[in-house]
Amino acid sequence: MSENPEGPAAELASEVRHRTANTLQLLATLARMRGQKASDAELRRQMIWMAEAIGAVGSLERRRTPEGIDFSGYIDEMAPVWRRRQGGQAVDVAVRLEPIHIRDQAASTLALILNELMANALTHGLQGAAVRRISIDLARTGDGARLSVTDSGPGLRADQPDSRERFGLWLARSLTAQVSGQLVLLPAPAGGLTAQLDFKL
């Protein structure tokens, strides 16, 4: 019986992915620990932000396949992480995902965008909400896909439409051009806010 020539190569690729993911997670942990020990509030915030960004990209490595990054699987894996970010406050993170694979560079950019949208929803989108719920939807739309993050909070104030336009959303908008996408903020049907990103596959 002849050996499968792809066997060793696939095993090596899997090992490289595993090591890369572990290295990035270690860097994320170190950044978070440094941030937690920082006496300056702004430095602490920035280091924890960096830790979350590195962790988001690192988690992609476990979802790499010959077809690209399994982005639906990545979101499903990250949902429990986002639930824990509220420091003991109950929050329901619901996901509705179509199976979608995305090329490497676009997947990294999308992971950073989604991380910022979730941080914005967790920090600002649940203030005063009777039901603390965030929904993440990923679905195909013709030759592209739509990623939506919907919170159950107060939404945008009519007298202050840019009240949620903080650094995270500014960064998300800046990254959107890299995936030939369009990011808009919309009132959610049941109240709250939807950040809707349409992008090409």
Side-chain angles (χ1 to χ4, degrees):
M1 179 182 296
S2 61
E3 295 184 0
N4 181 2
E6 295 183 358
E11 185 175 335
L12 176 60
S14 177
E15 182 178 347
V16 170
R17 289 196 301 270
H18 183 71
R19 288 181 178 178
T20 301
N22 285 347
T23 298
L24 290 169
Q25 291 302 326
L26 175 59
L27 291 173
T29 299
L30 291 174
R32 182 176 295 278
M33 292 173 65
R34 179 64 182 89
Q36 291 171 343
K37 292 294 185 180
S39 57
D40 181 78
E42 179 59 20
L43 175 60
R44 182 165 57 250
R45 188 182 71 83
Q46 293 292 349
M47 291 300 294
I48 291 176
W49 175 86
M50 183 61 71
E52 292 175 352
I54 295 172
V57 174
S59 295
L60 288 175
E61 289 299 321
R62 290 189 289 269
R63 295 295 173 175
R64 191 179 300 277
T65 73
E67 294 77 30
I69 301 294
D70 174 12
F71 205 70
S72 303
Y74 163 76
I75 296 174
D76 205 36
E77 178 182 327
M78 287 296 294
V81 176
W82 288 315
R83 292 188 191 105
R84 293 194 297 269
R85 284 189 186 172
Q86 283 294 284
Q89 301 182 57
V91 57
D92 178 22
V93 179
V95 296
R96 292 185 292 268
L97 311 169
E98 287 187 23
I100 293 179
H101 287 77
I102 300 173
R103 64 189 185 279
D104 289 7
Q105 185 58 48
S108 297
T109 302
L110 287 167
L112 292 174
I113 293 173
L114 178 56
N115 191 60
E116 294 304 322
L117 296 181
M118 285 300 299
N120 185 71
L122 288 166
T123 303
H124 308 293
L126 300 179
Q127 294 178 356
V131 178
R132 296 169 56 80
R133 180 183 177 88
I134 298 174
S135 299
I136 307 173
D137 296 86
L138 180 66
R140 293 183 179 275
T141 56
D143 62 347
R146 173 171 292 169
L147 174 65
S148 300
V149 175
T150 301
D151 64 59
S152 60
L156 291 174
R157 289 171 47 185
D159 62 338
Q160 193 177 359
D162 62 344
S163 61
R164 292 273 297 275
E165 290 287 347
R166 304 171 191 268
F167 172 77
L169 284 177
W170 172 83
L171 179 59
R173 291 187 187 280
S174 300
L175 292 171
T176 294
Q178 297 184 20
V179 292
S180 302
Q182 181 179 16
L183 177 64
V184 295
L185 302 182
L186 304 167
L193 182 73
T194 295
Q196 179 178 289
L197 172 64
D198 291 289
F199 60 95
K200 300 292 185 182
L201 289 175

